[in-house]
Amino acid sequence: MEKGEWDNGTSLLEFLLLGSGNVPSLQAPLFLLSLIIYLVTIIVNILIVVLLVAEQHLHTPMYFFLGNLSSLETCYSSTILPQLLASFLTGNRTISAHGCMAQFYAFGSFVTTECYLLTAMSYDRYLAICQPLLDASLMTWNICLQMAAASWLTGLGFSSVVTVFLSQLQFCGHREIDHFFCDFIPLLELTCSNTRLITAIAFALCFLSIVFSFVFTLASYVCIIAAILRVPSSMGRQKAFSTCSSHLIIVTVFYGTLFIVYMMRRTAPLRQLNKMLSSFYTRLTPLVNPLACTLRNREIREALR
């Protein structure tokens, strides 16, 4: 945003987030609903982290990655929902240019980090089910720490690159973002700069993070399901599948909504559907993920009791 100025010379101070539209009668219900979702998400995810730290028998690679995921979901929710709650409460839907870039950076970092954390979790499940004799030697605490650190650092690094290039663009004309948070494509729709370079960079990084992670996770689960089907007893198959079913739910919800949102063309008839699906994976996914883990996991339920 060259020297923080618009082409017409007025200062670039803020964007207007159109969100779901200016409907005063819906502000109070949406505020209450979003507040409940946010509070429950934060409480549940923090409770899971505290539980996994406090209970010694849950100090395994699977629960270590689950704790990282719950920490990530807490940060993820806090990137978008507080600003959204403030806009519902005050009616002020503007966000500063620096605040917008900070929100985009944090959102991109956490989405990328989640892709790699889910990949690490799928690899852990693959070893536990398909290579049980090698699991203990290949998934040591040092390796788990390195995989988790690499996931967080890669997410922060990839998002930094895109944010730096995005902040150099010139934004012309109106300052209305047709979304409820600062996302990549809605921001590109406002720029009058050449976007070929940043589009190519973003595509390459998305391929490395989202597509590569999805393909690796999918391949892991193909091997896992094939191994489970070879188990002779139905009780054994059920026990093996129960160890990865919650993670499979998280992967399906996360990648399903992510691919639909970002592969869907932002034409006028589909924009509302796009925003609705974006709302689902930014507000509800951080709540659905921990609930899927706790409700379907016997060890966590017993630890909670």
Side-chain angles (χ1 to χ4, degrees), residues 31-52:
F31 171 79
L32 290 175
L33 178 61
S34 299
L35 180 62
I36 292 171
I37 291 174
Y38 181 57
L39 291 177
V40 173
T41 300
I42 296 298
I43 292 170
V44 169
N45 279 292
I46 291 177
L47 179 61
I48 290 176
V49 173
V50 172
L51 186 68
L52 296 179

Side-chain angles (χ1 to χ4, degrees), residues 98-240:
H98 294 299
C100 188
M101 289 300 152
Q103 187 183 63
F104 170 77
Y105 170 72
F107 172 75
S109 299
F110 297 139
V111 169
T112 306
T113 300
E114 184 159 355
C115 289
Y116 284 105
L117 279 178
L118 292 177
T119 304
M121 293 173 74
S122 69
Y123 179 63
D124 171 63
R125 292 299 83 207
Y126 165 79
L127 290 178
I129 294 175
C130 301
Q131 304 289 340
L133 298 179
L134 299 176
D135 186 27
S137 60
L138 292 178
M139 289 300 288
T140 63
W141 275 110
N142 282 337
I143 293 177
C144 290
L145 288 170
Q146 291 170 10
M147 292 175 71
S151 299
W152 284 91
L153 291 175
T154 303
L156 295 172
F158 280 9
S159 186
S160 295
V161 173
V162 178
T163 305
V164 167
F165 279 93
L166 187 63
S167 65
Q168 301 305 311
L169 299 178
Q170 286 183 308
F171 293 90
C172 315
H174 68 88
R175 295 172 287 177
E176 297 176 349
I177 300 176
D178 191 12
H179 213 18
F180 59 91
F181 70 99
C182 295
D183 203 0
F184 182 71
I185 296 176
L187 281 170
L188 283 191
E189 293 174 348
L190 302 183
T191 183
C192 54
S193 301
N194 190 321
T195 60
R196 289 183 180 178
L197 178 59
I198 188 174
T199 302
I201 292 172
F203 178 82
L205 295 180
C206 284
F207 181 85
L208 289 173
S209 55
I210 299 175
V211 177
F212 171 77
S213 300
F214 174 73
V215 171
F216 186 93
T217 303
L218 182 63
S220 298
Y221 270 99
V222 169
C223 296
I224 289 171
I225 292 173
I228 291 175
L229 293 177
R230 290 196 296 269
V231 176
S233 66
S234 59
M235 184 66 70
R237 287 194 298 270
Q238 183 178 356
K239 183 178 180 180

Side-chain angles (χ1 to χ4, degrees), residues 250-263 277-278 280-282 285:
I250 294 173
V251 168
T252 303
V253 172
F254 178 74
Y255 283 110
T257 52
L258 201 62
F259 280 125
I260 292 173
V261 167
Y262 288 103
M263 293 182 68
L277 292 173
S278 296
F280 176 80
Y281 86 84
T282 53
T285 300

